[in-house]
Amino acid sequence: MHFGMFIMRRAVCSGSFDPVTKGHIDIFERSSRMFDEVIVSVFYNPGKEKSMFSMKQRVEMLKLATKHIPNVRVTCFSGLLNEFCIKEKAPFIVRGLRAFSDFEYEFQRALLIKKIDPDLETVFIMTNAQYSYISSSGVRELLAFGGEIDELVPPGVTGKIREYLKLKQKKTNGKR
């Protein structure tokens, strides 16, 4: 067993969180009641090079959005999830599910992780039905067309998003 004797029940909840949504917060809040510590980690995904927000900005937004959850720690990483879990002494992985299509993808991923490291357990948490339609990609699409996102992202994050987008726009306009 890679984790040996552990005192705290620690879980990792990783994702791109580009940007964090109310659905993500729902999963963090509920998993925080199951574990002593939940490590919410922005994962650098080379398959998603076109992120709207930098890792630093996403970590900032997550810290703002989770400040009311005392046993959540926000960080970032790149590399293999199982290695990150070993480093953090976290034998549990939390994955949020919105729909059956999420389950198919996450189930295959969980089986692969189990093959790589049999000591890791994946815990699936179904999202609250009121958030089942919210996705980061949907929020990004609304943002691209000037849509309203207040009901989709945690309080305080909307201002950060608009601030980051203004900075991005200034940089883009300055390059012309």
Side-chain angles (χ1 to χ4, degrees):
M1 179 181 227
H2 296 298
F3 301 100
M5 198 64 184
F6 53 89
I7 297 167
M8 291 183 70
R9 288 173 305 145
R10 239 183 227 127
V12 169
C13 187
S14 69
S16 56
F17 308 116
D18 187 34
V20 60
T21 68
K22 285 185 175 180
H24 293 131
I25 300 304
D26 174 54
I27 298 299
F28 303 156
E29 288 171 344
R30 291 167 53 212
S31 62
S32 76
R33 294 190 296 269
M34 297 168 64
F35 299 98
D36 299 314
E37 183 180 35
V38 177
I39 303 161
V40 174
S41 190
V42 177
F43 167 64
Y44 170 72
N45 185 344
K48 292 187 177 182
E49 287 290 331
K50 300 282 184 193
S51 298
M52 182 171 269
F53 301 100
S54 71
M55 282 183 75
K56 182 181 176 187
Q57 290 169 330
R58 288 180 271 161
V59 166
E60 233 176 80
M61 285 188 273
L62 280 162
K63 284 182 178 179
L64 178 66
T66 60
K67 67 183 177 189
H68 68 287
I69 314 170
N71 60 330
V72 164
R73 178 166 49 98
V74 177
T75 187
C76 61
F77 80 101
S78 65
L80 295 174
L81 179 57
N82 66 304
E83 291 175 1
F84 180 73
C85 289
I86 291 167
K87 176 182 163 275
E88 292 291 339
K89 296 179 177 63
F92 301 100
I93 298 168
V94 171
R95 302 301 298 168
L97 301 173
R98 289 172 301 176
F100 188 71
S101 55
D102 286 349
F103 177 76
E104 287 181 291
Y105 171 78
E106 295 296 346
F107 182 69
Q108 286 181 344
R109 223 177 122 173
L111 290 175
L112 179 60
I113 292 225
K114 195 64 153 165
K115 176 72 175 161
I116 293 168
D117 191 331
D119 294 327
L120 282 172
E121 295 295 337
T122 301
V123 177
F124 297 113
I125 300 177
M126 292 300 302
T127 192
N128 186 313
Q130 75 186 66
Y131 304 122
S132 63
Y133 67 94
I134 301 173
S135 67
S136 292
S137 58
V139 171
R140 287 193 309 272
E141 189 173 329
L142 279 169
L143 283 168
F145 293 102
E148 189 54 54
I149 61 164
D150 287 356
E151 296 299 314
L152 309 177
V153 299
V157 172
T158 305
K160 280 282 183 206
I161 288 172
R162 299 213 187 283
E163 181 184 313
Y164 294 145
L165 290 176
K166 281 180 188 173
L167 283 172
K168 195 173 192 176
Q169 193 173 25
K170 280 183 184 179
K171 286 180 184 178
T172 304
N173 290 340
K175 289 181 180 179
R176 291 181 184 180

